[in-house]
Amino acid sequence: MISIVIPIYNEEENLQNLYARLTAASPSWKEEYEIVLVDDGSADRSLEMMTEFARKDYHVRVIKLSRNFGHQPAISAGIQEAKGDAVVIMDGDLQDPPEELHRFLDKWREGYEVVYAVRTKRKEGFFKKLAYSSFYRLLAAISEIDIPLDSGDFCVMDRKVVNTIVKEMPEQLRFVRGLRAYAGYKQIGVTYERAERAAGEVKYTFKKLIELALDGLFGFSNVPLRLATYLGFIIAIPSFLTGFFFILHRIMGFKVLGHTPAEIPGTTTLTVGMYFLGGVTLIILGILGEYIGRIYIEVKRRPFFVIDEIIEKE
Ligand code: UDP
Ligand code: MG
């Protein structure tokens, strides 16, 4: 059996279409299937509509979370509850077309344990595209694992991978595509054209996107921490040499640019140096703060989602 996990947050405009297209595409999967819809605290008619699907179609199960926990926790809830031998993750706004899924499943049947989707084209604004592509390149450059470029959450994972993620990666801050890459196994990318959101507003606010990006960067890299050391060296070595020069200058009294030691106008140098160092110190403190904040969240060990109810056909 395959499980299709879809996080849903206020997608009333898309649900009917999503369900119809999934059902229409289902024969191409050549497998028994279940659709695991995770209701991430929707405030519109989404839950009502999903409940209706679940009541009349035994393929559909609805996992109702107790509030809005966010996209990544919702996915985590879905894969935890999924029962399939393969688990698919896709978005609820039809940006990941159900009609493409059979190509991914073919690769899974060939023996790949993770088949992730790689976007060839993004139908989004120029700046969003630029931001995404720089983020993925920065992440690839500094992270300790190989997170494939331009791959999102859309993927098929074998039961083995799902078990590794669900049972052995208890971290609270869940950057699922990073965890998936970390899990290892035989992985392969399959390209697809990412569609536009079928209807409705984007549910990821700018703030949530930044948070996701930071979770990815700080969760999978210690390079930012090392930045402090590098910057320290870069600033300290010339400063030391300059200091040494000034001491010699003061003791030996030779002229620099026609000035004797007492006349040296050093105010500008001092001020610029002070502000620069102050700025650098604050940035480094901020980076330390990012990690400490994350450590704090992790040690609290709170559940990263709370399941209120599971709705399925009796
Ligand atoms: N989503 C969610 N919880 C949230 C935000 C989004 O479950 O807090 C779901 C949303 O319903 C959609 C998917 O996550 O199915 C991706 O969201 P969206 O399309 O808004 O973001 P994109 O990744 O396309 O920018
Ligand atoms: Mg979307």
Side-chain angles (χ1 to χ4, degrees):
M1 182 174 79
I2 58 166
S3 303
I4 300 170
V5 169
I6 309 178
I8 298 291
Y9 178 53
N10 296 341
E11 299 285 3
E12 61 180 5
E13 300 100 327
N14 289 314
L15 274 169
Q16 202 62 51
N17 213 344
L18 175 71
Y19 176 65
R21 280 176 60 180
L22 281 168
T23 310
S26 64
S28 69
W29 307 332
K30 295 177 250 158
E31 220 74 54
E32 182 53 48
Y33 69 97
E34 64 166 356
I35 301 173
V36 181
L37 299 172
V38 183
D39 175 50
D40 188 19
S42 298
D44 62 357
R45 287 191 52 249
S46 297
L47 181 64
E48 209 179 299
M49 296 172 74
M50 291 188 274
T51 307
E52 209 173 289
F53 302 150
R55 288 271 145 76
K56 65 167 203 260
D57 182 351
Y58 72 92
H59 290 112
V60 180
R61 256 193 316 144
V62 180
I63 315 290
K64 177 181 182 283
L65 301 186
S66 61
R67 63 170 170 86
N68 178 248
F69 280 89
H71 185 209
Q72 303 290 314
I75 290 177
S76 302
I79 63 176
Q80 178 187 295
E81 293 305 313
K83 294 174 179 155
D85 306 297
V87 176
V88 176
I89 299 174
M90 62 199 300
D91 280 355
D93 57 357
L94 290 162
Q95 284 197 283
D96 310 322
E99 296 78 17
E100 301 274 318
L101 194 52
H102 68 96
R103 294 198 291 131
F104 293 71
L105 291 169
D106 286 344
K107 286 284 172 212
W108 169 65
R109 283 189 205 100
E110 270 175 40
Y112 290 97
E113 282 123 345
V114 174
V115 185
Y116 56 84
V118 180
R119 301 155 203 162
T120 47
K121 259 192 229 157
R122 262 185 180 278
K123 298 205 172 115
E124 272 144 340
F126 174 77
F127 284 106
K128 207 169 175 190
K129 273 198 276 201
L130 183 73
Y132 273 110
S133 113
S134 357
F135 166 71
Y136 279 112
R137 270 139 199 93
L138 175 64
L139 183 61
I142 69 169
S143 77
E144 65 227 31
I145 50 164
D146 279 333
I147 298 177
L149 289 176
D150 301 313
S151 71
D153 291 313
F154 187 22
C155 68
V156 179
M157 291 187 286
D158 188 79
R159 174 52 43 197
K160 280 197 275 188
V161 184
V162 173
N163 284 349
T164 305
I165 294 179
V166 170
K167 302 207 172 104
E168 287 163 58
M169 299 190 183
E171 56 211 85
Q172 317 277 302
L173 296 164
R174 303 190 74 77
F175 185 63
V176 176
R177 62 203 80 161
L179 301 178
R180 186 181 75 204
Y182 188 93
Y185 298 103
K186 247 168 76 181
Q187 308 216 354
I188 192 172
V190 170
T191 53
Y192 83 116
E193 214 171 282
R194 189 160 165 86
E196 262 169 291
R197 168 174 264 281
E201 293 278 297
V202 187
K203 303 304 178 297
Y204 253 95
T205 55
F206 183 66
K207 184 165 163 271
K208 279 188 189 168
L209 262 184
I210 297 287
E211 276 167 5
L212 180 68
L214 292 181
D215 283 349
L217 291 176
F218 289 110
F220 289 88
S221 174
N222 283 332
V223 172
L225 275 177
R226 227 165 281 149
L227 208 66
T229 321
Y230 297 149
L231 268 176
F233 273 111
I234 292 171
I235 294 167
I237 293 172
S239 306
F240 182 74
L241 293 177
T242 320
F244 190 63
F245 170 81
F246 275 108
I247 291 170
L248 283 185
H249 178 49
R250 189 82 186 81
I251 296 173
M252 303 169 76
F254 54 76
K255 284 192 173 183
V256 177
L257 301 173
H259 291 288
T260 47
E263 302 168 65
I264 289 274
T267 355
T268 322
T269 326
L270 280 177
T271 327
V272 170
M274 197 182 75
Y275 281 114
F276 176 66
L277 278 180
V280 170
T281 312
L282 284 179
I283 292 172
I284 300 299
L285 274 179
I287 293 176
L288 287 179
E290 282 295 328
Y291 284 98
I292 294 171
R294 271 151 229 276
I295 295 168
Y296 183 50
I297 290 173
E298 295 294 344
V299 296
K300 281 190 285 193
R301 301 274 89 183
R302 285 188 189 144
F304 36 90
F305 57 79
V306 175
I307 296 177
D308 174 5
E309 194 188 348
I310 297 183
I311 304 157
E312 57 197 333
K313 197 165 190 237
E314 289 86 37

